[in-house]
Amino acid sequence: MIRRLIKLLVISLSFSLSGCWSSIEINQRSFARFMFIDKSDIGVELTLGFPLPNRMVTSKAGGENSSPPFTYVTKSSEDISRAYSKILSDLPRRVTFGQMRNIFISKQLATEVGLEPFIDFLSRQPALHLNVNLFVVDGNSKEVGSIPMVFERFLTDILLSYTKEKIVHAVTIKNMLTSIYRKGDFALPILFIGKAGVEFEKEGAQWMGTSGMAIFRNAKMVGTFDMKETKGARWLFDDVYHAQYRVISPTDGKLVTLMVRSSNTKIVPSINSDHIQMNILCRGDATVMSSESNIDLTNPRELKSLEQSFESLLEGIITKTIIKSKAMKSDVFQLGQLIKWRYPNEWNSVEDNWRNTYESKIVIDQQVDISIKRIGAVQKPEWNRFLHQDEEHQ
């Protein structure tokens, strides 16, 4: 009896040491890391980016392989599903989306076609993770793959840093599908490709940067937030992180640069007899980064006046952002859901005509409360004061 138990134990342990149990071996897979979607003459152009394991090792002892460790495969067709089928027919390996991290959509496709076909394709790919980040590209989305790998070796690492460091407001497949289920209004970060930033790289190299956010209504791009409006949008998304602002000093009209270190936004709806009001409270702590002003930040009265100037600036930015979204009839901040949760009966009466209600009948009451916690140097550095004294004597 004991011998039988020992045999069973040995057999069970051998199973755990037998390697991968997947029906598809790893050397038969192609791991798609990027997806680029553009508009083509016949419909849609789909590009998938793959890392190349055979190029990730050094070509010789002490040296590096000069070939890029990734490649892109592009196909065009009437719709995204057929374009994907064409890619599959050309690859010697099975494509898997388990390593997909970023999807790029061209501005032209988002504006002229919309994302409904793309969303339908996504919802039928069970291997595609819901935390994949989405971006709109101002231009051909494939150009993102041409940027030089200066700080990182792979494009994935750059985009992950964009979201991890909150350089952009991260929007995932899950966020988009949730918004589509609710009413189809959402916003995606915009990337642009240009020359500035790679002056010392190879001739013809491109550079990637951020350029506001794209506004969607019914899964179709209808407008954009510029960089200043995007800052306001991130307050409403409660996603502000190390944002810098230049504030006019109340003492002499010169500029003071402030950085928001931490923030919190709370939005509470209230319904009166004739309108719906959204009460927005934004709180934040800021640090003085630099100052061209002679304001005395050790003086509580002058410090308070600078805080009030900053609050007025932020109120103007947030107001401009909300006005833009209302003009687009796009509830990108999901304010309707707040009404639905707090006033479900009243929501039933406005749900069918919500976009028109949002445009014309929503009243915004906002309050910004900023505390400047760190002021740095009290006034201008002493050497600056001495320099000005020398100029006066001359």
Side-chain angles (χ1 to χ4, degrees), residues 222-255:
V222 294
T224 61
F225 290 134
D226 60 25
M227 293 300 290
K228 182 176 289 187
E229 293 163 346
T230 297
K231 286 187 174 182
R234 296 191 69 166
W235 278 96
L236 295 167
F237 286 130
D238 197 13
D239 186 40
V240 178
Y241 181 74
H242 287 194
Q244 290 192 20
Y245 299 85
R246 304 186 74 186
V247 184
I248 297 177
S249 171
T251 58
D252 55 10
K254 296 183 179 180
L255 294 175

Side-chain angles (χ1 to χ4, degrees), residues 16-51:
S16 65
L17 300 174
S18 59
C20 180
W21 281 80
S22 173
S23 60
I24 305 175
E25 294 294 335
I26 191 170
N27 59 359
Q28 297 176 347
R29 295 174 183 259
S30 296
F31 296 94
R33 300 297 300 273
F34 320 103
M35 181 183 293
F36 305 92
I37 306 175
D38 293 285
K39 190 175 183 297
S40 69
D41 295 336
I42 62 174
V44 177
E45 182 181 79
L46 175 65
T47 302
L48 297 180
F50 301 94

Side-chain angles (χ1 to χ4, degrees), residues 235 245 310-319 366 368 370:
W235 278 96
Y245 299 85
F310 189 18
E311 291 166 356
S312 298
L313 174 67
L314 288 178
E315 287 176 359
I317 293 174
I318 295 172
T319 299
Q366 62 171 305
V368 178
I370 298 294

Side-chain angles (χ1 to χ4, degrees), residues 247-248 250 258 301-315 368 370 372:
V247 184
I248 297 177
L258 301 172
R301 182 176 298 176
E302 293 191 13
L303 181 63
K304 183 64 177 177
S305 64
L306 180 62
E307 290 175 344
Q308 291 173 347
S309 296
F310 189 18
E311 291 166 356
S312 298
L313 174 67
L314 288 178
E315 287 176 359
V368 178
I370 298 294
I372 299 177

Side-chain angles (χ1 to χ4, degrees), residues 233-369:
R234 296 191 69 166
W235 278 96
L236 295 167
F237 286 130
D238 197 13
D239 186 40
V240 178
Y241 181 74
H242 287 194
Q244 290 192 20
Y245 299 85
R246 304 186 74 186
V247 184
I248 297 177
S249 171
T251 58
D252 55 10
K254 296 183 179 180
L255 294 175
V256 178
T257 302
L258 301 172
M259 175 179 284
V260 177
R261 296 288 186 179
S262 62
S263 66
N264 175 262
T265 298
K266 186 176 182 180
I267 305 176
V268 179
S270 61
I271 297 181
N272 299 322
S273 57
D274 57 344
H275 67 272
I276 302 173
Q277 181 168 302
M278 308 303 298
N279 304 293
I280 302 173
L281 175 59
C282 301
R283 298 181 183 274
D285 294 336
T287 300
V288 177
M289 298 297 295
S290 64
S291 176
E292 301 174 10
S293 171
N294 62 4
I295 185 171
D296 183 2
L297 297 176
T298 62
N299 186 320
R301 182 176 298 176
E302 293 191 13
L303 181 63
K304 183 64 177 177
S305 64
L306 180 62
E307 290 175 344
Q308 291 173 347
S309 296
F310 189 18
E311 291 166 356
S312 298
L313 174 67
L314 288 178
E315 287 176 359
I317 293 174
I318 295 172
T319 299
K320 183 181 178 183
T321 303
I322 295 175
I323 290 174
K324 172 68 75 69
S325 70
K326 292 175 70 174
M328 297 292 105
K329 294 186 178 181
S330 177
D331 183 15
V332 297
F333 307 114
Q334 303 294 316
L335 301 182
Q337 290 303 303
L338 300 178
I339 299 173
K340 180 180 179 180
W341 296 333
R342 197 174 185 91
Y343 302 99
N345 294 331
E346 288 79 357
W347 170 252
N348 291 334
S349 63
V350 300
E351 181 179 9
D352 294 337
N353 195 36
W354 169 241
R355 288 193 177 92
N356 291 327
T357 302
Y358 176 67
E359 178 193 23
S360 59
K361 296 183 179 180
I362 296 296
V363 177
I364 302 298
D365 180 23
Q366 62 171 305
Q367 180 181 353
V368 178
D369 184 10

